[in-house]
Amino acid sequence: MAQLVLLPGKDRSLRRRHPWIFAGSVGRLEGRARPGDTVEVLADDGTPLGRGAYSPKSQIRVRMWTFDAAESIDDAFFKRRIAAAVARRQALPELAADLGPEGGVRLLHAESDGLPGVIADRYGDTVVVQLTSAGADKWRKAIVHALLQAGAPLGVTRVYERSDSDVRAMEGLEPTTGWLAGEGEAPLSIVENGVRLGVDVAGGHKTGFYLDQRENRLLTGQLAKGKRVLNCFCYTGGFSLQALAGGAAHVVSVDSSGPALEQAKRNLALNPGLDPARAEWREADVFEELRAIRKSGEQFDLIILDPPKFAPSAAHAERASRAYKDINLLALRLLPPGGLLLTYSCSGGIGVDLFQKIVAGAASDAGRDARILRRLAGGPDHPVALAFPEGEYLKGLLVQVD
C-alpha cells in the first residue's frame, strides 16, 4: 500500500476527523497508487492517521475511508459500513413509513455515513446509486453487493446507477448509468406522506427525485389549508401535491421544463383524491413569471422557492447570491400581510448564515418587515456529520411578512 505523507501542520483537520485531504496539504506519495487505490495517510512525523481513496486528478487528493490506521478496506468494510447506515435509519421512528414497501428514503449519504462519494436512494424495490469519487468508483461491485444485502429486508431487489453528475469529471471519471443488479422499467412510484409520486430513475434529476425535501413538503401541506399557493421551480410537483393534499384553495406551479411539468401532471393523476381543478401548471422562466405576476397584481398566501443549485462551490457564491436575492425579492412582493415564504438553497457554496443575510436583504429591498418562523434542512435520512459541516448543503427558511 502506498503512503501519502502530509506537509507539516496539515494533519489538524484529519485529527478532527474531517474526511478530505486537499492537494495543497500533500507532502509526498511514497510508492505507486492509481486512481481509487487505498493509501495509508501519515502525518509529517510518520504518525499513521488512517486510510483513504487516492484521486490524483482531483483537488481533493484523498477521501478518508477510515481514521483507524489498522482497518482494512475490503468487501467486508463496505458490508459493515452500509449495514450500519441502513440500521441507523431503521432505528428512527420518523422514517418507518418511508422504509415501507412503497417508500422513498436515502440509505447512504456519502461522507456523513462514512462513505465519501457514495449516494444511495431507495425507491420501493429499487436502489439508485451515485458514485462520484474515484474510490467509490473502484469499489462499485462491493458497494452494490452490500446494498442488496442490507436492503433485502426492505424489499430491495434492483440497483440502478446514476453516476452522471458533473462532480465525476473533477475526479477524471466518465459518466455512467444503467442497471447494476436486476433490470426492468426505470419509471416507478413511491408514496410520500400519503401522496403517490412517479420517479424516473433513469431520466429524472439527481437519482430521480429530491428525497431531501420530504419533511419540508409535509410542512407545506400543513400550512396550505385554504391558501393560494405558488410553487416556483416545481419540478415534478412534490410541493404542489402536498399543498393540494393539505387543502390549498388553488396551487399555481411554475417550471421551465415541459417534461417535468408533464410528469407533475401524471403525478396528480396518480392521486384521484386530489382535485385537478385546484391545480394550474405554467411552463415559464420563474424570474420572468414572477415579474409578470407582479405586474398583473396577483397575490399568493404561500410561496415556495426551491431553485436549482446556483452556487456549486464557494467560488460561485457572489453571483449566486445575486440570483437568490432577486428571486426572494420578487416573491416577497407577491405576499399579502401575514403571507408565508418557504425559501430554500441547495447550493453548497452558500452557507446558512449567508443565506439568511440574502433573504434579509431581499426583504429590506422589498420594503417588507419579516420574521423567521422556522429554519429548515434535510430530513434525518440526510444526516450531517459533526466533523463534516459541508454536508449541510440544503438550508431553508419559513418566513412570514407583515
Side-chain angles (χ1 to χ4, degrees), residues 63-140:
R63 288 175 165 85
M64 298 298 290
W65 290 127
T66 179
F67 296 96
D68 179 353
E71 186 172 16
S72 297
I73 308 304
D74 51 19
D75 287 14
F77 168 84
F78 290 96
K79 182 178 179 180
R80 290 193 304 273
R81 283 285 168 99
I82 291 173
V86 173
R88 284 194 292 271
R89 286 153 175 81
Q90 290 175 312
L92 298 174
E94 59 265 49
L95 291 178
D98 304 302
L99 289 164
E102 295 186 299
V105 67
R106 174 153 293 186
L107 296 181
L108 301 177
H109 194 46
E111 282 84 353
S112 292
D113 278 310
L115 291 166
V118 185
I119 295 292
D121 288 339
R122 175 259 184 168
Y123 305 106
D125 69 349
T126 302
V127 166
V128 182
V129 65
Q130 193 172 66
L131 307 174
T132 61
S133 68
D137 195 75
K138 184 178 182 67
W139 288 98
R140 171 187 275 101

Side-chain angles (χ1 to χ4, degrees), residues 296-314:
S296 73
E298 192 175 9
Q299 286 192 319
F300 294 88
D301 307 301
L302 172 62
I303 298 177
I304 302 120
L305 297 179
D306 185 24
K309 188 185 297 184
F310 289 156
S313 69

Side-chain angles (χ1 to χ4, degrees), residues 74-329:
D74 51 19
D75 287 14
F77 168 84
F78 290 96
K79 182 178 179 180
R80 290 193 304 273
R81 283 285 168 99
I82 291 173
V86 173
R88 284 194 292 271
R89 286 153 175 81
Q90 290 175 312
L92 298 174
E94 59 265 49
L95 291 178
D98 304 302
L99 289 164
E102 295 186 299
V105 67
R106 174 153 293 186
L107 296 181
L108 301 177
H109 194 46
E111 282 84 353
S112 292
D113 278 310
L115 291 166
V118 185
I119 295 292
D121 288 339
R122 175 259 184 168
Y123 305 106
D125 69 349
T126 302
V127 166
V128 182
V129 65
Q130 193 172 66
L131 307 174
T132 61
S133 68
D137 195 75
K138 184 178 182 67
W139 288 98
R140 171 187 275 101
K141 289 184 179 179
I143 291 166
V144 170
H145 182 66
L147 278 168
L148 287 170
Q149 280 194 312
L154 306 178
V156 171
T157 59
R158 306 187 297 173
V159 178
Y160 191 86
E161 183 173 12
R162 279 295 304 273
S163 300
D164 53 358
S165 70
D166 294 340
V167 178
R168 279 178 65 90
M170 300 178 189
E171 296 278 312
L173 301 171
E174 296 292 327
T176 179
T177 63
W179 291 105
L180 297 178
E183 58 182 13
E185 294 295 326
L188 44 87
S189 69
I190 59 172
V191 175
E192 179 185 278
N193 299 316
V195 171
R196 184 169 292 279
L197 299 158
V199 179
D200 182 359
V201 300
H205 294 179
K206 296 176 74 174
T207 64
F209 194 57
Y210 291 94
L211 290 173
D212 50 5
Q213 289 282 27
R214 182 197 309 106
E215 277 72 18
N216 299 325
R217 284 189 286 265
L218 178 62
L219 173 62
T220 298
Q222 294 167 344
L223 296 170
K225 186 173 180 62
K227 291 182 172 63
R228 283 182 49 80
V229 178
L230 174 63
N231 181 16
C232 301
F233 309 99
C234 70
Y235 187 44
T236 57
F239 281 105
S240 303
L241 268 62
Q242 287 293 341
L244 290 169
H250 191 72
V251 180
V252 175
S253 305
V254 184
D255 202 281
S256 61
S257 170
L261 289 172
E262 289 304 312
Q263 179 63 60
K265 294 174 186 177
R266 289 194 292 272
N267 285 345
L268 179 55
L270 291 173
N271 296 271
L274 303 182
D275 183 5
R278 292 187 285 129
E280 181 181 347
W281 310 95
R282 299 180 187 177
E283 183 178 347
D285 176 271
V286 171
F287 289 85
E288 294 178 2
E289 183 65 18
L290 287 176
R291 291 186 180 96
I293 293 172
R294 167 74 170 169
K295 190 174 181 180
S296 73
E298 192 175 9
Q299 286 192 319
F300 294 88
D301 307 301
L302 172 62
I303 298 177
I304 302 120
L305 297 179
D306 185 24
K309 188 185 297 184
F310 289 156
S313 69
H316 301 84
E318 183 176 349
R319 183 182 63 186
S321 295
R322 291 194 295 270
Y324 282 117
K325 185 174 182 180
D326 286 348
I327 202 74
N328 281 277
L329 172 61

Side-chain angles (χ1 to χ4, degrees), residues 332-353:
L332 286 162
R333 286 174 169 166
L334 302 181
L335 291 166
L340 298 172
L341 173 66
L342 282 163
T343 181
Y344 301 95
S345 166
C346 63
S347 295
I350 301 291
V352 174
D353 291 342

